[in-house]
Amino acid sequence: MPQVAKISLVIFMTLLFLGGIHAQDRSIGATFSYAGVGISFQNNVNEDTFIEVQLRAETAHLFGSLCETPGVTASATWNMIFSEMTSPDGNRICFFAGPGITAGVADDIPYHKGIVFGLKGRVGCECRFQRNITVSACVSPVLGAHVTMKDGMPCMLFYKTGLISAVMPEIGIRYNFCNEEDFSHIIDTHFI
């Protein structure tokens, strides 16, 4: 496993642990798109803001047989809900957008593996069901740099594959963990 992938995994696990010690609503799940497949952790800061941390396998060039192994990136975004609707049953549809950062190891055109880092944006919507399931759809463009070796020297170029994410939608599904208030409500209504 490359050194950057190990560091990304340690950062992701640390953020997951730190997110777990708060009483805010949290959820964990998976995201799927042509450009990548990932594990997603979301921590709601308040009703209108949430942080999402994602560890992702970059598969854009893998499906076209342009590389043999996927890349790995880790990212964090700060998302703000700008519109929402709630059904009479308590299901909630939210529209969100936010900035973030990303780093890792991935392939880029002309298909050389290298270090990737840059700014990541997210725009999308999600439906939070009462049954602790959230389904989302978004686009996540990356404006960044790709550093690789060329003729024995490091070469930094624009990360072109990051713009593929601007047109390839990402579908996600997550499980929402109950916070303490939700848990006490379940006990009060079902066991007493």
Side-chain angles (χ1 to χ4, degrees):
M1 181 183 264
Q3 188 68 16
V4 174
K6 290 178 186 176
I7 292 170
S8 300
L9 183 60
V10 168
I11 291 170
F12 179 76
M13 296 304 287
T14 302
L15 289 173
L16 223 143
F17 171 76
L18 291 175
I21 61 176
H22 293 290
Q24 294 133 339
D25 293 333
R26 298 170 306 279
S27 61
I28 190 165
T31 59
F32 308 94
S33 75
Y34 176 80
V37 177
I39 299 170
S40 170
F41 173 75
Q42 182 175 307
N43 188 13
N44 293 346
V45 177
N46 57 39
E47 286 291 319
D48 298 328
T49 308
F50 62 92
I51 298 169
E52 182 170 18
V53 178
Q54 188 178 64
L55 183 64
R56 178 172 143 136
E58 299 292 335
T59 59
H61 302 297
L62 188 66
F63 292 131
S65 298
L66 301 172
C67 67
E68 295 178 6
T69 59
V72 177
T73 58
S75 64
T77 55
W78 182 273
N79 302 279
M80 292 148 282
I81 297 171
F82 57 85
S83 179
E84 68 178 276
M85 297 176 283
T86 304
S87 73
D89 296 339
N91 299 326
R92 184 174 160 204
I93 296 176
C94 306
F95 297 91
F96 62 87
I101 57 172
T102 189
V105 176
D107 285 292
D108 195 23
I109 301 167
Y111 316 115
H112 298 290
K113 209 171 271 324
I115 297 171
V116 172
F117 59 92
L119 300 174
K120 179 177 183 174
R122 288 186 80 230
V123 176
C125 68
E126 67 179 22
C127 185
R128 299 176 184 176
F129 296 101
Q130 283 291 83
R131 298 287 183 185
N132 293 348
I133 298 294
T134 299
V135 177
S136 64
C138 68
V139 291
S140 304
V142 174
L143 182 62
H146 185 258
V147 180
T148 188
M149 297 299 284
K150 184 175 182 181
D151 298 328
M153 296 291 292
C155 178
M156 184 185 303
L157 298 170
F158 180 72
Y159 183 49
K160 299 171 212 69
T161 304
L163 295 180
I164 291 174
S165 298
V167 294
M168 296 289 178
E170 179 180 276
I171 307 299
I173 184 165
R174 290 188 308 277
Y175 175 77
N176 302 322
F177 296 100
C178 295
N179 63 19
E180 293 173 11
E181 293 174 21
D182 292 341
F183 188 69
S184 65
H185 174 69
I186 290 168
I187 290 173
D188 291 343
T189 57
H190 294 290
F191 298 109
I192 296 177

